[in-house]
């Protein structure tokens, strides 16, 4: 059976999502087809609304619907600690854990000359301004533990070591609650070289 | 690890071969071009899931046939395993004890084979790139985390090369520091690997050759400084910055390291005879054999393709004496029947079949 053009268009749209293949896209599209007109309108509106209302925070570049974002404008956050991450979604697990009460800064990527991405393409200039204007004492580098993430952390260290009291980097090693049997060699060797007095 | 029996179908020049092997030495002989190397290639494939001669599957198929089949019975720590490998030009399927097997790295560690082939004899005369590839591979087998170290270094290097290509001098120090960080880890790993090989090399060379010189493997790092620390390597890289900017690519670092063999104070390329290249390479393989046993308690299958050409009779008998003390299963190919000792099993090959 030939899929009608308007349905085919929806299938195509769904299959552009990461991790969604043609089969799944069809299932999703048929689900939408079974919606009531109100449901469908709601769904479409949610998509439009998110683009209209969500902006990167002008201070920390986290996605937000009011600017500055809830974190930047909060009175209860520790304003001397600034945690630097590569992508906005990196803050979700940190916020969920409730472990960190300071402020964030999203770089929007990591340094990669191969892809033509240097500090100028990231939000480093804005970070510099924040460090000059705000009362930041500790910079916590939470870029990914990859070669590019490490290079980015190294760059930020050089750039800001004389402007804040302390620069720290997230530790690498064993996952909590994990079984040693299931830890890969690299993580294990990092855990060994990063071991601490007990 | 012992291969007890083998069944080949449409593999290279074998239409159908069914044979059994001795757990000790297997002597495979026949005239040139009859299929001796093809047979040990199949044995190597069973152990390492790749050929030592080709990366292209279709080379392994008998001409005119869409698929080759290798079946074997292997014994490891007294447990018998069945292996079935189906090869087509598009891929291969491995079944271990009747179930599909996909984890190649685990598999190779369980059933490893070491080879000694005429191509490998020239390892220390060939390009440094081939030596690095050989030692990287061996080190990654012995120390699985080394593979990730290699990958990370390669990533840092390609980023640095991009900076050099784009002529961004102000961005070079960052990547020199990243390179230095990974280079210092690699140098340390390479040094300790070479040290562990050297613990065995001298003794093995003397046992195999009956000679008295001291054989050692020497590390020739691209960046030669007394202490290969991150900071020290960084300084060297920075002092070469202008030169590298002019070249437009990286000129130094572990990707330019080299290795050489020394017999007493004689370096290989300038002083080794044809026979010495052969016998020292054999000693190196035997040192790896010992490291593999120390680390994993396995005795890899040893394959010696055309080992005895260019060696004089006294050397041959020394080698056979040495082999008789090994606990490994050994396969030797030769153009002549066994001369010096009685091997566990003798196979004569003629036109893709046993005689």
């Amino acid at each position: 059976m030939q899929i009608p053009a308007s349905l085919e268009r929806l299938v195509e749209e769904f299959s552009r999502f990461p991790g969604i293949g043609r089969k799944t896209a069809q299932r999703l599209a048929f689900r939408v087809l079974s919606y009531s007109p109100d449901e469908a309108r709601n769904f479409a509106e949610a998509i439009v609304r998110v683009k209209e209302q969500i902006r990167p925070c002008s201070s920390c570049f986290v996605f937000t619907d009011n600017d500055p974002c809830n974190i930047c404008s909060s009175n209860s956050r520790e304003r001397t600690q600034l945690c630097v991450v590569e992508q906005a979604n990196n803050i979700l697990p940190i916020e969920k854990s409730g472990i960190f009460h300071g402020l964030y800064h999203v770089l929007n990527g990591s340094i990669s000359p191969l892809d033509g991405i240097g500090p100028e393409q990231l939000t480093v200039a804005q970070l510099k301004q924040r460090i000059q204007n705000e009362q930041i004492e500790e910079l916590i580098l939470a870029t990914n533990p990859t070669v590019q993430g490490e290079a980015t952390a190294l760059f930020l260290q050089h750039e800001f070591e004389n402007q804040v009291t302390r620069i720290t980097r997230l530790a690498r090693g064993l996952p909590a609650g994990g079984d040693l049997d299931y830890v890969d060699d690299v993580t294990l060797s990092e855990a060994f070289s990063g071991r601490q007095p007990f | 690890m012992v291969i007890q029996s083998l069944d080949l179908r449409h593999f290279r020049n074998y239409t159908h071969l069914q044979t059994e092997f001795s757990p000790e030495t297997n002597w495979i002989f026949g005239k040139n071009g009859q299929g001796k190397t093809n047979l040990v290639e199949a044995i190597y494939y069973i152990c390492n899931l790749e050929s030592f001669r080709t990366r292209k599957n279709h080379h392994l198929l008998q001409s005119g046939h869409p698929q080759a089949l290798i079946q074997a019975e292997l014994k490891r720590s007294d447990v018998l395993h069945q292996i079935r490998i189906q090869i087509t030009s598009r891929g291969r399927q491995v079944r271990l004890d009747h179930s599909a097997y996909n984890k190649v790295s685990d598999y190779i560690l369980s059933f490893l084979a070491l080879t000694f082939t005429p191509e490998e004899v020239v390892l220390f005369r060939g390009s440094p790139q081939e030596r690095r590839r050989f030692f990287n591979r061996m080190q990654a087998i012995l120390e699985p985390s080394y593979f990730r170290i290699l990958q990370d270094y390669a990533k840092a290097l390609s980023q640095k090369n991009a900076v050099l290509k784009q002529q961004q001098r102000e961005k070079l120090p960052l990547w020199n520091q990243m390179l230095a960080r990974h280079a210092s880890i690699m140098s340390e790993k390479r040094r300790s690997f070479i040290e562990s090989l050297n613990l065995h090399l001298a003794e093995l060379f003397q046992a195999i050759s009956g000679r008295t010189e001291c054989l050692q493997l020497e590390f020739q790092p691209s960046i030669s400084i007394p202490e290969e620390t991150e900071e020290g390597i960084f300084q060297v890289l920075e002092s070469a910055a202008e030169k590298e900017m002019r070249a437009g690519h990286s000129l130094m670092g572990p990707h330019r390291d080299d290795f050489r063999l020394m017999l007493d104070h004689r370096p290989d390329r300038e002083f080794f005879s044809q026979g010495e290249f052969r016998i020292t390479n054999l000693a190196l393989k035997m040192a790896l054999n010992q490291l593999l046993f120390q680390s994993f308690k396995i005795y890899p299958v040893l394959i010696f393709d055309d080992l005895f050409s260019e060696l004089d009779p006294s050397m041959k008998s020394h080698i056979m004496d040495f082999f008789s003390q090994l606990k490994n299963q050994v396969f030797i190919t030769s153009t002549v029947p066994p001369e010096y000792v009685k091997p566990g099993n003798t196979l004569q090959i003629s036109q893709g079949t046993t005689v």
Side-chain angles (χ1 to χ4, degrees), chain B residues 105-124:
Chain B
S105 53
D106 285 1
Y107 181 98
I108 289 173
L109 259 189
S110 323
F111 303 111
L112 192 73
L114 284 177
T115 51
F116 178 94
T117 64
E119 293 80 27
E120 286 172 320
V121 173
V122 297
L123 184 68
F124 283 92

Side-chain angles (χ1 to χ4, degrees), chain A residues 111-116 118-121 145-148 150-151 154-155 158 172 184-186 189-190, chain B residues 143-145 148-149 151-153 155-156 158-160 162-163 166 168 170-171 174-175 177-178 181-182 230:
Chain A
I111 296 177
S112 174
L114 271 178
D115 304 303
E120 315 79 43
Q121 279 72 38
T146 58
V147 171
Q148 292 171 30
E150 284 295 331
L154 197 59
F155 172 81
H158 288 317
R172 304 165 72 159
D184 66 284
D185 301 320
V186 181
S189 73
E190 269 165 6
Chain B
E143 199 179 348
S145 66
R148 171 72 180 274
I149 293 171
Q151 276 185 324
D152 279 353
Y153 178 79
K155 279 183 198 160
S158 61
Q159 295 283 13
K160 177 181 165 176
V163 168
Q166 295 156 13
Q168 296 175 310
E170 75 288 356
K171 289 184 177 162
L174 175 67
W175 289 100
Q177 194 170 352
M178 283 304 288
R181 180 171 293 181
H182 292 283
E230 185 178 329

Side-chain angles (χ1 to χ4, degrees), chain B residues 87-216:
Chain B
I87 304 169
T88 64
S89 57
R90 301 167 81 197
R92 64 133 193 268
Q93 212 184 20
V94 180
R95 293 180 81 80
L96 174 62
D97 299 325
H98 306 293
S99 49
Y101 206 83
N102 297 320
K103 275 185 139 182
V104 175
S105 53
D106 285 1
Y107 181 98
I108 289 173
L109 259 189
S110 323
F111 303 111
L112 192 73
L114 284 177
T115 51
F116 178 94
T117 64
E119 293 80 27
E120 286 172 320
V121 173
V122 297
L123 184 68
F124 283 92
R125 265 183 314 201
S127 71
Q129 191 187 353
E130 284 164 50
R131 283 186 286 280
R132 282 190 297 271
R133 194 182 301 145
F134 172 80
F135 285 108
N136 281 344
R137 184 165 175 275
M138 285 301 155
Q139 203 170 347
I141 290 173
L142 279 157
E143 199 179 348
S145 66
Y146 183 73
F147 183 66
R148 171 72 180 274
I149 293 171
L150 276 177
Q151 276 185 324
D152 279 353
Y153 178 79
K155 279 183 198 160
L157 178 64
S158 61
Q159 295 283 13
K160 177 181 165 176
N161 277 333
V163 168
L164 288 167
K165 200 175 167 196
Q166 295 156 13
Q167 295 287 302
Q168 296 175 310
R169 175 68 182 92
E170 75 288 356
K171 289 184 177 162
L172 193 55
L174 175 67
W175 289 100
N176 273 341
Q177 194 170 352
M178 283 304 288
L179 204 76
R181 180 171 293 181
H182 292 283
S184 68
I185 299 171
M186 257 178 88
S187 294
E188 189 195 320
K189 293 280 180 193
R190 278 187 170 156
R191 280 197 186 280
S192 73
F193 178 54
I194 289 169
E195 253 169 55
S196 59
L197 281 170
N198 277 336
L199 286 178
H200 303 289
L201 265 181
E203 193 189 328
L204 284 166
F205 173 77
Q206 288 163 6
I208 293 168
S209 66
R211 287 165 49 165
T212 55
E213 298 111 303
C214 177
L215 175 68
Q216 293 285 282

